[in-house]
Amino acid sequence: QITLKESGPTLVKPTQTLTLTCTFSGFSLSTSGVGVGWIRQPPGKALEWLALIYWNDDKRYSPSLKSRLTITKDTSKNQVVLTMTNMDPVDTATYYCAHSGGSYSEGYFDYWGQGTLVTVSS
Amino acid sequence: SYELTQPPSVSVSPGQTARITCSGDALPKKYAYWYQQKSGQAPVLVIYEDSKRPSGIPERFSGSSSGTMATLTISGAQVEDEADYYCYSTDSSGNRIFGGGTKLTVL
């Protein structure tokens, strides 16, 4: 049974750096083909893909946010960490982590965490 | 940048067929996927690789893709199918993209 859970601050101030942790179970990030991604959703708005990391440490980032994002993994702890710099109120959103299944080039998110709401406000 | 375009809303009566479209220039070469998101919940995958249905998803959900358009069809829509639906795909660089979402109303 695959489960994922996001953790991190619920409130950050503008210009601060956000650090979110995804802790998962039921799969290993050392298994070929496996990936974990981050997706966010501002209140009342659409889903937006942020980043993806694979078992081989290949990393992909949303082109529009690439300069602000870093994704890393700790295979021994079954965790993936996303950092986003220079937070702004428009970054207020629910942040989800998800397991990436399917092919390496067209992986899709088949298992999702419950999401964590991050508010950016002074 | 690459975009997937969906209608903002679709409305049907219970028992009718709902069709939600997703258009994108790369869809002739890339798979389309569909997610259902009910209010306050995480998205759930309902269709993968254009037309495959994950286990546990009712048979009334089906998908198809032709040219630059993918379609999610809900045959005999039920009140519990009322949700936001998002298409998802990749571009030629391997970036992941979600469509803008379609609010399905069943009443």
Side-chain angles (χ1 to χ4, degrees):
Chain A
Q1 178 191 3
I2 290 177
T3 64
L4 305 99
K5 187 172 184 178
E6 306 86 355
S7 60
T10 57
L11 179 67
V12 297
K13 290 180 168 46
T15 76
Q16 286 187 336
T17 294
L18 171 68
T19 300
L20 294 172
T21 300
C22 176
T23 303
F24 56 86
S25 63
F27 67 94
S28 172
L29 245 185
S30 59
T31 301
S32 178
V34 173
V36 171
W38 286 93
I39 303 100
R40 71 178 179 179
Q41 185 174 38
K45 295 190 177 181
L47 299 168
E48 180 184 19
W49 170 69
L50 300 176
L52 177 58
I53 189 166
Y54 284 103
W55 84 101
N56 59 0
D57 212 37
D58 182 22
K59 301 167 187 177
R60 306 290 176 91
Y61 296 101
S62 167
S64 62
L65 293 167
K66 185 175 183 177
S67 63
R68 299 174 53 204
L69 297 173
T70 302
I71 190 170
T72 59
K73 62 181 175 68
D74 186 329
T75 305
S76 65
K77 292 183 178 180
N78 280 353
Q79 290 182 333
V80 170
V81 175
L82 180 76
T83 61
M84 180 180 290
T85 60
N86 194 25
M87 292 293 285
D88 183 271
V90 300
D91 297 312
T92 293
T94 295
Y95 287 76
Y96 296 97
C97 66
H99 172 275
S100 176
S103 72
Y104 183 61
S105 62
E106 292 194 50
Y108 57 96
F109 302 111
D110 47 5
Y111 297 91
W112 294 60
Q114 63 190 21
T116 185
L117 176 62
V118 178
T119 302
V120 184
S121 175
S122 54
Chain B
S1 62
Y2 183 53
E3 293 182 349
L4 296 173
T5 302
Q6 299 179 234
S9 62
V10 169
S11 183
V12 298
S13 298
Q16 287 189 328
T17 295
R19 294 183 179 85
I20 300 172
T21 58
C22 172
S23 64
D25 289 341
L27 289 180
K29 295 184 178 181
K30 299 292 186 180
Y31 286 125
Y33 303 79
W34 291 93
Y35 292 90
Q36 176 194 67
Q37 186 180 34
K38 295 184 178 179
S39 181
Q41 299 182 18
V44 173
L45 182 71
V46 294
I47 294 291
Y48 68 102
E49 293 179 359
D50 289 344
S51 59
K52 299 176 182 177
R53 198 172 50 249
S55 62
I57 300 301
E59 290 184 8
R60 63 181 180 272
F61 288 87
S62 64
S64 63
S65 187
S66 178
T68 59
M69 185 167 288
T71 303
L72 172 69
T73 300
I74 308 173
S75 303
Q78 302 184 6
V79 174
E80 60 261 36
D81 299 331
E82 193 163 283
D84 294 324
Y85 290 85
Y86 294 91
C87 63
Y88 163 92
S89 188
T90 56
D91 66 13
S92 57
S93 301
N95 298 311
R96 276 52 177 172
I97 307 104
F98 288 93
T102 298
K103 181 178 180 59
L104 175 66
T105 302
V106 183
L107 52 75

